[in-house]
């Protein structure tokens, strides 16, 4: 059982920063921040889960079965992530590419402390065993007067490397295009890794800088002991609200401009770009098929097709697909039958994932997986882990990955430039970051 107490806060931005700083005392943290993006499916402004009572860590073998058992047994809030490589539990696939991050394939925990923020109202939802600490914790957060400041550099700048270089990238995209021209696939999301070895960063400070640059609607700070996910994700993977499930795939990207007229031109060009629209529509069809596996007959609906939304650094083409499910449908089954998300795989999905494994040079892991939560009533919400920095503190290894959708109309040089555009925020943050 959980005890709930609500408080009013005047300066909510300061409180959010202090709350995340206060949470660093715990070894299991999930922080989800909408950055004041308000949509019809936004349930909160920010949500913090910390301090595990129970947890589950699994490799891909029987991962969804293990998660279903855990979710059914706890009958409580659980928070965590699904790595991309759970594809191997859904289909007869493997993940044999290079992996230096070494994150578990699946991690969820039942937090003792949950704190949600909606407007100026803060709700503490604590398990009874720690409920007598609510007032003290609230006062502790209020007592943190300043946000951590960037310290002077004490080590050399981070040296970011590419797992494959430009010429090799072009070669692999041409191989992907050969598969498309043969009819093996219609589209595939091809990704590349940027990394830094023998490197230390301050995870919270790095996240705050990344979030300040991007201000995305699905920002995430996740800590699993000495492994961190620092995410500026703009994309929702899947949400369940009662008998309704919603997916909002992103396909289609254009840069922003500081000049208003130029910015509007770039946005309009994206809206009418045939290649970008074709990419998005192919993934919408894939999502419709995935949702239909658990949906009530005739309930799958495209609520918005190829809408263009503006974020801090890029314009994105976003579609919204929804469906109705039976009241007794198992929440984990809904996720299993749609995972991994179509925007990060391609079509047909299984063939695309096989080719991705063949051509990519790294194991995706948490990248292009999902972070989120299950509520006690079976509702859930998960983002897509893109525009994210992954950090293994023990191995002193930092990684971020980016990708683009390859279709028959793709030009390798343009796809490469799109990757660099998506990498810009992470690269800037890391190159300016220091371990103080």
């Amino acid at each position: 059982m959980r005890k709930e107490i609500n408080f009013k806060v005047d300066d909510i931005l300061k409180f959010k920063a202090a709350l995340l700083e206060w949470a660093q005392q715990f070894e299991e943290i999930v922080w989800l921040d909408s950055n004041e993006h308000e949509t019809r499916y936004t349930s909160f402004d920010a949500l913090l889960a910390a301090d595990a009572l129970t947890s589950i860590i699994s490799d891909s073998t029987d991962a969804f079965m293990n998660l279903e058992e855990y979710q059914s047994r706890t009958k409580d809030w659980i928070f965590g992530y699904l790595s991309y490589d759970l594809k191997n539990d859904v289909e007869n696939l493997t993940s044999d590419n290079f992996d230096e991050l070494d994150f578990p394939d699946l991690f969820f925990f039942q937090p003792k402390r949950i704190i949600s923020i909606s407007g100026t109202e803060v709700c503490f939802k604590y398990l009874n065993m720690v409920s007598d600490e609510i007032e003290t914790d609230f006062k502790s957060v209020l007592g943190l007067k300043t946000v951590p400041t960037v310290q002077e550099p004490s080590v050399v700048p981070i040296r970011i490397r590419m797992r494959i270089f430009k010429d090799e990238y072009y070669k692999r995209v041409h191989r992907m295009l050969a598969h498309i021209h043969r009819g093996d696939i219609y589209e595939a999301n091809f990704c590349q890794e940027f990394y830094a070895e023998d490197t230390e960063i301050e995870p919270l400070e790095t996240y705050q800088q990344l979030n300040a640059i991007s201000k995305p609607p699905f920002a995430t700070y996740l800590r699993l002991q000495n492994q961190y996910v620092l995410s500026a994700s703009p994309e929702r993977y899947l949400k369940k609200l009662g008998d309704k499930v919603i997916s909002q795939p992103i396909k289609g990207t254009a840069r922003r401009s500081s000049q208003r007229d130029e910015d509007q031109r770039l946005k309009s060009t994206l809206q009418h770009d045939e290649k970008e629209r074709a990419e998005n529509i192919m993934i919408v069809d894939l999502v419709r098929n995935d949702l239909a596996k658990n949906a009530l007959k005739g309930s799958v609906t495209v609520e918005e097709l190829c809408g263009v939304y503006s974020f801090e650094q890029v314009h994105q083409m976003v579609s919204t697909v929804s469906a109705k499910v039976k009241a007794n449908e198992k929440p984990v089954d809904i996720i299993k039958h749609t995972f991994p998300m179509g925007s990060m795989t391609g079509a047909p999905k299984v063939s695309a994932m096989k080719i991705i494994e063949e051509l990519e040079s790294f194991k995706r892991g948490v990248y292009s997986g999902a972070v989120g939560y299950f509520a006690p009533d079976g509702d859930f919400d998960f983002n897509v882990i893109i525009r994210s920095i992954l950090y293994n503190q023990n191995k002193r290894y930092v990684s971020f990955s980016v990708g683009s959708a390859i279709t028959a109309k793709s030009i390798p040089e343009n796809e490469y430039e799109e990757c660099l555009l998506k990498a810009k925020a992470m690269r800037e943050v890391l190159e300016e970051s220091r371990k103080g």
Side-chain angles (χ1 to χ4, degrees):
M1 297 291 292
R2 291 187 180 271
K3 181 177 181 180
E4 296 189 14
I5 300 181
N6 294 324
F7 300 92
K8 288 285 187 179
V9 175
D10 293 330
D11 190 339
I12 204 68
L13 291 178
K14 180 181 176 182
F15 184 83
K16 283 167 64 176
L19 179 61
L20 192 48
E21 181 185 352
W22 168 84
Q24 300 310 303
Q25 64 188 288
F26 304 110
E27 291 196 328
E28 305 89 8
I29 304 168
V30 169
W31 166 257
L32 306 171
D33 191 346
S34 70
N35 281 298
E36 300 181 330
H37 288 267
E38 293 186 8
T39 71
R40 60 183 294 195
Y41 295 119
T42 299
S43 299
F44 54 82
D45 293 331
L47 185 62
L48 173 74
D51 192 14
L53 172 66
T54 65
S55 64
I56 177 175
I57 292 176
S58 176
D59 62 16
S60 61
T61 305
D62 296 328
F64 283 105
M65 182 183 71
N66 295 336
L67 177 59
E68 183 180 311
E69 291 177 355
Y70 180 67
Q71 189 260 337
S72 300
R73 186 172 68 250
T74 57
K75 293 183 173 62
D76 192 12
W77 293 88
I78 60 172
F79 291 72
Y81 70 76
L82 310 157
S83 80
Y84 170 79
D85 299 283
L86 295 187
K87 66 184 174 62
N88 306 334
D89 189 35
V90 179
E91 304 289 347
N92 184 24
L93 300 170
T94 59
S95 297
D96 298 319
N97 286 330
F98 179 82
D99 176 26
E100 189 65 18
L101 283 164
D102 198 28
F103 278 67
D105 288 334
L106 177 147
F107 163 66
F108 278 84
F109 72 103
Q110 177 189 12
K112 296 177 186 175
R113 305 161 201 265
I114 299 173
I115 302 171
S116 64
I117 298 172
S118 296
T120 59
E121 186 171 278
V122 179
C123 180
F124 283 65
K125 303 176 184 180
Y126 277 26
L127 287 175
N128 285 343
M129 65 178 64
V130 293
S131 62
D132 60 345
E133 300 177 35
I134 291 178
E135 298 275 358
T136 302
D137 286 353
F138 179 62
K139 291 177 182 177
S140 295
V141 176
L142 290 180
L144 293 173
K145 299 190 181 300
T146 59
V147 180
T149 56
V150 179
Q151 300 183 31
E152 288 299 313
S154 61
V155 296
V156 296
I158 292 173
R159 182 185 178 190
I160 298 170
R161 301 179 178 182
M162 303 172 69
R163 183 64 56 194
I164 58 174
F165 293 101
K166 184 188 293 187
D167 289 347
E168 182 62 25
Y169 175 88
Y170 290 167
K171 289 178 183 177
R172 297 190 187 199
V173 171
H174 280 298
R175 289 169 62 187
M176 185 80 76
L177 286 168
H179 282 289
I180 293 171
H181 294 148
R182 278 201 303 268
D184 300 333
I185 52 173
Y186 304 110
E187 175 180 349
N189 193 281
F190 180 58
C191 303
Q192 57 177 316
E193 183 192 22
F194 296 74
Y195 68 97
E197 298 172 303
D198 195 23
T199 296
E200 294 182 59
I201 62 173
E202 292 287 357
L204 177 57
E205 180 183 293
T206 303
Y207 165 76
Q208 289 169 328
Q209 292 173 345
L210 182 63
N211 190 49
I213 289 174
S214 303
K215 296 185 177 67
F218 301 102
T220 296
Y221 177 97
L222 180 146
R223 179 184 181 185
L224 169 55
Q225 297 175 3
N226 292 305
Q227 294 173 308
Y228 296 84
V229 179
L230 318 172
S231 178
S233 174
E235 183 173 358
R236 169 177 278 128
Y237 156 45
L238 198 64
K239 177 166 188 162
K240 180 177 180 291
L241 280 172
D243 66 349
K244 186 174 185 177
V245 290
I246 307 104
S247 182
Q248 295 179 292
I250 289 179
K251 269 287 163 275
T253 305
R255 66 179 178 87
R256 298 293 307 269
S257 172
S258 59
Q259 303 299 315
R260 183 175 178 180
D261 289 347
E262 173 70 3
D263 195 54
Q264 284 299 116
R265 185 190 67 77
L266 291 167
K267 184 176 182 179
S268 178
T269 299
L270 175 61
Q271 178 69 71
H272 298 96
D273 188 302
E274 289 187 12
K275 173 187 173 293
E276 302 283 11
R277 291 181 66 87
E279 287 180 12
N280 195 291
I281 291 168
M282 276 192 273
I283 297 307
V284 166
D285 285 342
L286 190 156
V287 170
R288 290 172 63 244
N289 290 335
D290 281 350
L291 291 182
K293 296 172 186 175
N294 292 86
L296 294 173
K297 187 175 181 179
S299 71
V300 179
T301 303
V302 179
E303 297 185 2
E304 183 179 28
L305 185 64
C306 298
V308 174
Y309 293 81
S310 300
F311 300 94
E312 292 295 308
Q313 293 197 319
V314 292
H315 301 294
Q316 300 272 204
M317 190 175 284
V318 186
S319 293
T320 299
V321 187
S322 66
K324 294 290 185 70
V325 295
K326 295 178 183 177
N328 62 351
E329 198 74 56
K330 293 179 180 178
V332 175
D333 278 350
I334 298 171
I335 292 175
K336 181 178 180 180
H337 292 150
T338 60
F339 196 84
M341 63 289 301
S343 62
M344 296 306 297
T345 54
K349 184 185 277 189
V350 176
S351 297
M353 288 190 291
K354 288 179 180 178
I355 293 167
I356 286 168
E357 177 69 17
E358 170 196 336
L359 294 179
E360 289 184 350
S361 59
F362 69 107
K363 179 182 177 181
R364 290 191 183 182
V366 180
Y367 169 70
S368 72
V371 170
Y373 64 86
F374 292 90
D377 61 3
D379 283 356
F380 57 73
D381 198 5
F382 286 87
N383 69 2
V384 179
I385 292 299
I386 52 176
R387 322 292 162 82
S388 304
I389 296 168
L390 306 180
Y391 178 43
N392 187 318
Q393 194 171 47
N394 286 345
K395 289 192 170 185
R396 296 163 52 86
Y397 187 84
V398 178
S399 169
F400 64 92
S401 301
V402 292
S404 67
I406 310 302
T407 67
K409 294 184 178 181
S410 289
I411 299 170
E413 291 80 1
N414 293 349
E415 301 299 336
Y416 187 78
E417 289 302 317
E418 180 177 328
C419 287
L420 295 184
L421 175 63
K422 291 174 178 176
K424 182 181 178 183
M426 287 91 73
R427 184 156 207 153
E428 284 181 0
V429 166
L430 288 173
E431 287 181 339
E432 294 172 5
S433 180
R434 305 290 188 274
K435 171 75 173 179

